[in-house]
């Protein structure tokens, strides 16, 4: 009996390494910026974002995932609740192209082939690289020269996913990005007209939306983690 159990566990591990369930799909939603301009609310989507997602389910609790996101980022002081910020009247628009990889931890076991395990909340821990525009110099009154820059962010988030039907699943999630830069809003300490806000506070952006994925690959023989 002991040999049978050991053989079964080893078989599961072997099958898991070769026949995982994969998920691929799209996500759409809204984005918002948190920084020195505009609204102080952390989750207040005011621009569109979208992208593609791919997941590799290591077991019923953990999935490795990668995403590519294209998001418009904008803010305007007219949306601020802070009166000083409101009367200052600065606004901006930028575009972010982000590639993120990380882990998705399911609160409950998740397996679309088992009707008892087709929905769960989850948390995200990721690392992201993103590209955006910055101001390099002033060429005239409110006239600037731009270039692109790439930096990193520490993303984390929460979500809830459930089976939609067949091999399709749908999820709603919020992903917050803490960046290591303070110039997504074109803040530039070398240009007087672009010196504003707190230079010791880096920018954030938040992605909120819904994903639709299709699951494929043979059902794995999971070894449930404890």
């Amino acid at each position: 009996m002991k040999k049978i159990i050991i053989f079964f566990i080893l078989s599961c591990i072997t099958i898991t390494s070769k026949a995982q369930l994969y998920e691929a799909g799209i996500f759409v939603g809204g984005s918002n910026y948190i920084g020195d301009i505009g609204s102080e609310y952390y989750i207040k989507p005011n621009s569109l974002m979208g992208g593609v997602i791919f997941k590799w389910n290591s077991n019923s609790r953990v999935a490795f995932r990668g995403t590519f996101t294209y998001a418009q980022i904008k803010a305007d002081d007219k949306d601020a609740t802070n009166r000083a910020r409101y009367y200052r009247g600065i606004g901006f628009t930028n575009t972010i192209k982000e590639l993120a990889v990380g882990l998705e931890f399911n609160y409950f076991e998740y397996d679309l082939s088992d009707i008892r395990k087709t929905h769960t909340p989850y948390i995200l821990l990721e690392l992201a690289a993103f590209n955006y525009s910055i101001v390099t110099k002033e060429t005239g009154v409110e006239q600037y020269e731009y270039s692109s820059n790439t930096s990193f962010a520490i993303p984390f988030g929460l979500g809830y996913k459930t089976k939609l039907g067949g091999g399709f699943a749908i999820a709603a999630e919020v992903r917050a990005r803490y960046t290591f830069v303070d110039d997504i809003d074109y803040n530039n300490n070398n240009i007087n007209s672009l010196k504003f806000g707190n230079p010791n506070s880096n920018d954030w952006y938040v992605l909120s939306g819904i994903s639709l994925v299709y699951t494929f690959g043979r059902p794995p023989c999971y070894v449930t983690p404890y």
Side-chain angles (χ1 to χ4, degrees), residues 155-183:
F156 52 89
L158 299 171
Y160 184 88
K161 57 187 176 182
T162 186
K163 184 175 182 177
L164 191 60
F168 288 95
I170 190 170
E173 67 181 35
V174 176
R175 294 174 280 162
R177 270 68 171 131
Y178 171 77
T179 75
F180 297 96
V181 296
D182 189 32
D183 55 2

Side-chain angles (χ1 to χ4, degrees), residues 17 21 33 69 74 76 89 103 106 112 116 121 127-129 136-137 143 163 165 172 184 189 197-198 201 216 219 226:
S17 65
L21 285 179
Y33 148 95
T69 306
K74 67 179 181 180
D76 197 302
L103 297 175
N106 301 323
L112 293 185
R116 300 166 300 175
L127 178 65
T136 55
K137 68 178 181 179
Q143 300 291 320
K163 184 175 182 177
I184 292 177
N189 288 327
N198 183 356
S201 178
F216 59 96
Y226 292 99

Side-chain angles (χ1 to χ4, degrees), residues 190-205:
N190 296 318
I191 301 175
N192 288 331
S193 59
L194 294 179
K195 289 182 180 179
F196 53 82
N198 183 356
N200 298 315
S201 178
N202 291 335
D203 296 329
W204 293 64
Y205 60 95

Side-chain angles (χ1 to χ4, degrees), residues 26-187:
I26 61 172
F27 56 85
V28 294
S31 59
N32 66 279
Y33 148 95
I34 307 164
D36 297 317
I37 297 176
S39 173
E40 296 92 342
Y41 292 107
Y42 281 89
I43 302 176
K44 191 179 181 181
N46 61 1
S47 297
L48 293 177
M49 71 90 179
V52 292
I53 184 170
F54 181 83
K55 301 181 188 180
W56 171 51
N57 292 286
S58 177
N59 56 55
S60 59
R61 287 285 178 82
V62 178
F64 295 90
R65 57 183 273 166
T67 59
F68 175 78
T69 306
Y70 181 91
Q72 293 288 331
I73 299 292
K74 67 179 181 180
D76 197 302
D77 281 343
K78 68 181 182 180
D79 299 319
T81 55
N82 180 297
R83 293 182 65 85
R85 185 178 289 195
Y86 177 85
Y87 288 113
R88 182 182 58 184
I90 299 176
F92 82 96
T93 301
N94 209 333
T95 299
I96 286 180
K97 297 177 282 292
E98 178 200 86
L99 182 64
V101 294
L103 297 175
E104 191 174 291
F105 295 95
N106 301 323
Y107 187 77
F108 302 117
E109 289 186 62
Y110 183 71
D111 183 353
L112 293 185
S113 65
D114 187 334
I115 194 172
R116 300 166 300 175
K117 303 175 182 179
T118 56
H119 56 88
T120 181
Y122 58 90
I123 62 173
L124 294 172
L125 294 176
E126 299 174 287
L127 178 65
F130 66 99
N131 182 267
Y132 65 107
S133 296
I134 60 172
V135 172
T136 55
K137 68 178 181 179
E138 187 174 22
T139 58
V141 179
E142 295 187 354
Q143 300 291 320
Y144 306 104
E145 185 175 290
Y146 298 84
S147 68
S148 64
N149 187 48
T150 299
S151 186
F152 296 92
I154 299 177
F156 52 89
L158 299 171
Y160 184 88
K161 57 187 176 182
T162 186
K163 184 175 182 177
L164 191 60
F168 288 95
I170 190 170
E173 67 181 35
V174 176
R175 294 174 280 162
R177 270 68 171 131
Y178 171 77
T179 75
F180 297 96
V181 296
D182 189 32
D183 55 2
I184 292 177
D185 51 16
Y186 303 120
N187 195 340

Side-chain angles (χ1 to χ4, degrees), residues 7-17 20 220-223:
F7 174 78
F8 178 76
I9 293 174
L10 291 175
S11 298
C12 285
I13 294 174
T14 302
I15 295 173
T16 298
S17 65
Q20 292 295 338
C221 182
Y222 287 132
V223 178

